[in-house]
Amino acid sequence: MRELALHLLDIAHNSVSAGARNITITIIEDSQVDRLSMTVEDDGAGMDALTVQRVTDPFVTTRTTRNVGLGIPLLKAAAEACNGDLTIQSKPGVGTRLDVVFQRSHIDRMPLGNLAETILTLVVGCPEVHWVFRYQVDGETFEFDDLPIKEELKDIPLTEPAVLAYLRETLENGVARVQQACQS
Amino acid sequence: MDKVKSLEDLKRLRAEALEKRRVKTASGEVQIVVGMGTVGIAAGARETLKAILDYIEKENLSGIVVRQTGNIGLDSYEPIVQVIIGDQPKVTYGRVHPDAARRIMKEHVVGGQIVKDYVIES
């Protein structure tokens, strides 16, 4: 995968597959400490210690543990190659938190990619999940919570064209605003 | 309706959408499912899904439900898109990149003609 945003989509899907009702995605770029971190927290099924070990190590993984493939090991390797790491904290019946950290300026760090598109496809494609998305670059923050929107819409699907346009623009503008504030 | 800019606007939109639903024809609901496992994502499934959403937005198509699912189990055919219209049998398409997705939207979802070039025989 060529973008961190695609890895993020992949990780978030693990949370969906684990039956999470609430998923919070946090991305923080900090140029002071030269860090880029992505966190995905869910209230899904959770994993025991052995399973956590399995999902991070491709050579221990067996294909019988479903929803677990090469996605996490590849992201872990990418982070480690950029002076970062990937950690998972999980508790069966409670949920899972995955943290991945990169040296932001590292030459091998994958570009963040299209964050707005990743969040839009998650929110629209998995509407039964309550999504919270936080993106922070240095001092600037964009926060998106889909609950107020869904409460307003009730049974109207998010794929209603005018709703799609609203979601797309909210996400695109929010991400762009945070990124521009940092560049200026 | 006018562009939605706030939650207040969404309230208005809901009323309009309910009205539209009442006059909808009997062709039935359209469901589109995109495979979003690791392999699908790596093969470009996000871009495919985005192309579908953009088409719905641009052509102002109501009553279409778009879903993501995990691995469909046909890795070499990713990205995979399934189209279900009303009571008709499910059609599975393979190697659906954005251009193919737009064609499927136009010819199958809107026009009712299955796009044979991308159908996976099962």
Side-chain angles (χ1 to χ4, degrees):
Chain A
M1 285 185 222
R2 318 160 299 281
E3 298 178 11
L4 288 178
L6 287 174
H7 277 287
L8 186 65
L9 184 59
D10 188 36
I11 297 165
H13 258 280
N14 293 340
S15 296
V16 175
S17 302
R21 308 308 299 177
N22 299 281
I23 303 176
T24 300
I25 293 170
T26 309
I27 295 168
I28 301 174
E29 294 189 58
D30 188 331
S31 57
Q32 285 288 308
V33 295
D34 196 16
R35 284 304 216 208
L36 186 158
S37 68
M38 304 198 297
T39 304
V40 177
E41 286 174 272
D42 72 54
D43 60 352
M47 296 173 281
D48 57 31
L50 186 66
T51 311
V52 170
Q53 201 187 346
R54 275 201 185 129
V55 298
T56 49
D57 186 347
F59 302 109
V60 183
T61 302
T62 62
R63 239 346 209 183
T64 51
T65 53
R66 260 325 309 175
N67 307 325
V68 173
L70 275 171
I72 290 173
L74 285 172
L75 181 57
K76 186 173 195 266
E80 284 170 353
C82 298
N83 298 324
D85 61 2
L86 182 150
T87 51
I88 297 175
Q89 294 160 274
S90 192
K91 213 175 199 175
V94 178
T96 301
R97 177 191 165 120
L98 182 147
D99 285 280
V100 60
V101 182
F102 291 80
Q103 181 191 333
R104 187 167 175 259
S105 67
H106 199 287
I107 187 105
D108 290 328
R109 179 178 66 79
M110 252 177 279
L112 197 51
N114 198 333
L115 214 46
E117 193 169 303
T118 285
I119 305 301
L120 179 70
T121 53
L122 284 170
V123 169
V124 175
C126 309
E128 69 285 354
V129 174
H130 166 214
W131 295 98
V132 177
F133 169 58
R134 269 187 218 105
Y135 179 36
Q136 188 180 326
V137 183
D138 292 334
E140 210 55 46
T141 306
F142 167 59
E143 180 162 328
F144 174 84
D145 183 334
D146 72 353
L147 199 60
I149 297 169
K150 285 173 181 166
E151 279 175 349
E152 213 58 77
L153 287 170
K154 298 191 180 79
D155 52 343
I156 301 299
L158 298 173
T159 42
E160 187 63 29
V163 179
L164 269 182
Y166 170 68
L167 290 173
R168 182 179 55 73
E169 283 169 16
T170 302
L171 291 166
E172 284 174 355
N173 294 343
V175 169
R177 176 176 59 77
V178 169
Q179 288 175 342
Q180 276 158 14
C182 177
Q183 280 155 16
S184 60
Chain B
M1 73 165 277
D2 297 335
K3 225 162 134 180
V4 176
K5 293 198 192 77
S6 66
L7 288 179
E8 238 358 85
D9 293 342
L10 286 176
K11 210 171 277 177
R12 192 159 40 87
L13 172 99
R14 188 183 129 76
E16 289 184 17
L18 283 175
E19 192 61 36
K20 225 185 314 179
R21 183 178 291 179
R22 226 167 287 143
V23 297
K24 222 174 74 181
T25 54
S27 61
E29 192 186 68
V30 177
Q31 257 196 76
I32 299 172
V33 182
V34 180
M36 283 281 198
T38 304
V39 178
I41 293 168
R46 185 191 68 186
E47 289 76 5
T48 298
L49 179 48
K50 181 63 168 29
I52 292 168
L53 297 181
D54 284 347
Y55 194 92
I56 291 171
E57 189 187 324
K58 209 176 76 211
E59 301 296 321
N60 201 23
L61 305 174
S62 270
I64 298 177
V65 175
V66 181
R67 306 274 315 155
Q68 306 187 13
T69 186
N71 216 323
I72 291 172
L74 297 156
D75 287 2
S76 56
Y77 291 101
E78 299 279 4
I80 288 172
V81 172
Q82 295 178 320
V83 176
I84 306 137
I85 302 177
D87 300 331
Q88 297 168 33
K90 170 171 73 189
V91 178
T92 302
Y93 292 107
R95 299 199 181 100
V96 183
H97 293 287
D99 280 342
R102 284 185 280 271
R103 217 184 123 192
I104 290 164
M105 290 304 289
K106 185 170 178 228
E107 294 176 24
H108 188 178
V109 174
V110 178
Q113 295 295 313
I114 293 170
V115 185
K116 293 207 173 66
D117 296 355
Y118 297 102
V119 172
I120 301 173
E121 304 294 342
S122 52

